[in-house]
Amino acid sequence: MVRDARPWTHAALFGCLWGCLELSLGTVLHLGRVPLKGLMMGSLGLVCLVTLRRLQPRPGVCLIAGMVAVFLKVFAMGGLYPGPVIGIAGESIIVELIFTATLSRAAGAIIGGALALALNPLQMVLMTWVVAGPEAVRAVVKGIQATAERIGLAGVDGPSILIALMVLCGSIGGCVGAASWLLAGRVLRRLGRTP
């Protein structure tokens, strides 16, 4: 009995693509101190995951792609950088769980994308707390509040800003998930497969 290895091959290929994007573009964005780099890299990872899952609707492929991307990130960079590694692993787990729950439908791409990217601001705060402590988190919150005051949002507290950022990132994630689902549908049509 011959087993079809194509889903796992696709998972490895998309994981390599994601990992290479993290190593090249992610490093450039990090060294350039580009704002919202986590959102940009999370969106690119989401495109890889959603496209993969639509092309190969086999449970587990997103987890394999995430593991490959984490492996590349850790071993090619020569060390464990917890922020990106946790982000990559968390995103692949969330997208896999939502796709499995929705039976690999468009709703899974939108909901999974929204949840995966909505957690980016929360992860940033938690990683700041773990790495630098609660004083660093308070300093970040004060900086965000000062920026909010400059644009006319005086008196807004830290949790409200965090929730607003999560909603904004979640909306972007839902749009990226939907666009990725449509992109993968076009690829399927080009390949002569029913989308």
Side-chain angles (χ1 to χ4, degrees), residues 96-114:
E96 179 65 45
L97 289 175
I98 298 299
F99 264 128
T100 302
T102 60
L103 303 176
S104 298
R105 303 207 188 284
I110 296 167
I111 296 168

Side-chain angles (χ1 to χ4, degrees), residues 79-171:
L80 179 63
Y81 296 92
V85 169
I86 292 170
I88 293 168
E91 186 172 351
S92 63
I93 290 168
I94 289 169
V95 171
E96 179 65 45
L97 289 175
I98 298 299
F99 264 128
T100 302
T102 60
L103 303 176
S104 298
R105 303 207 188 284
I110 296 167
I111 296 168
L115 284 176
L117 293 191
L119 294 178
N120 273 354
L122 184 61
Q123 178 199 348
M124 183 196 71
V125 170
L126 289 175
M127 288 308 302
T128 302
W129 182 75
V130 168
V131 172
E135 290 298 322
V137 173
R138 282 193 277 277
V140 169
V141 169
K142 284 182 183 177
I144 292 172
Q145 286 174 327
T147 304
E149 286 177 12
R150 286 190 202 124
I151 60 172
L153 297 173
V156 178
D157 61 342
S160 298
I161 293 173
L162 180 63
I163 290 169
L165 284 173
M166 290 176 73
V167 168
L168 176 65
C169 291
S171 301

